[in-house]
Amino acid sequence: MPALTVDEMLSLSLSISGWMSNEELVWLYDQAKSLHSGQRWIEMGVWRGRSFVAVAGGLPDGAHLTAIDHWLGSPLERAHSHSEAKLPGRVVLREFCDVLVRVNEMR
């Protein structure tokens, strides 16, 4: 059974700045639901965590989720769309940590 309903997942995911559409988030959620206890999902490039929430919300009990990111963005992204990555104190990493807390509270 998934940790969150699709509506709970969408509510939390859409509260996080990001580019994924509702349809893409629901697709990730559905894919995560297909895992079995003991299986692992690895997400590379979680940034603020919008897609991470979709996966975490769909994972059944006993499945594992690993997030990998350096939260710095690429040089091109730092110059343009991810300029907040240049801010001191790893602002985006702190935002992702807040998302982790919210996901754990809902699970």
Side-chain angles (χ1 to χ4, degrees):
M1 171 180 277
L4 305 177
T5 67
V6 71
D7 290 334
E8 290 170 329
M9 176 280 293
L10 280 172
S11 177
L12 181 52
S13 291
L14 295 173
S15 73
I16 301 164
S17 177
W19 300 281
M20 294 203 110
S21 68
N22 289 21
E23 293 80 15
E24 292 167 320
L25 293 167
V26 170
W27 185 86
L28 284 173
Y29 174 87
D30 288 340
Q31 296 307 303
K33 282 192 330 187
S34 71
L35 268 65
H36 301 286
S37 181
Q39 290 185 307
R40 178 173 306 277
W41 183 296
I42 300 173
E43 182 171 351
M44 298 188 66
V46 295
W47 199 240
R48 285 189 168 106
R50 188 177 217 178
S51 58
F52 179 87
V53 167
V55 173
L59 283 180
D61 289 338
H64 306 281
L65 175 55
T66 300
I68 301 172
D69 207 312
H70 55 56
W71 290 276
L72 298 174
S74 70
L76 182 60
E77 290 168 331
R78 284 193 297 275
H80 298 288
S81 62
H82 290 169
S83 59
E84 66 272 13
K86 295 186 289 188
L87 298 173
R90 312 235 26 207
V91 172
V92 178
L93 172 58
R94 284 199 317 262
E95 289 179 15
F96 179 74
C97 289
D98 291 344
V99 167
L100 284 177
V101 170
R102 291 165 60 194
V103 167
N104 284 326
E105 288 171 351
M106 294 183 84
R107 288 184 66 90

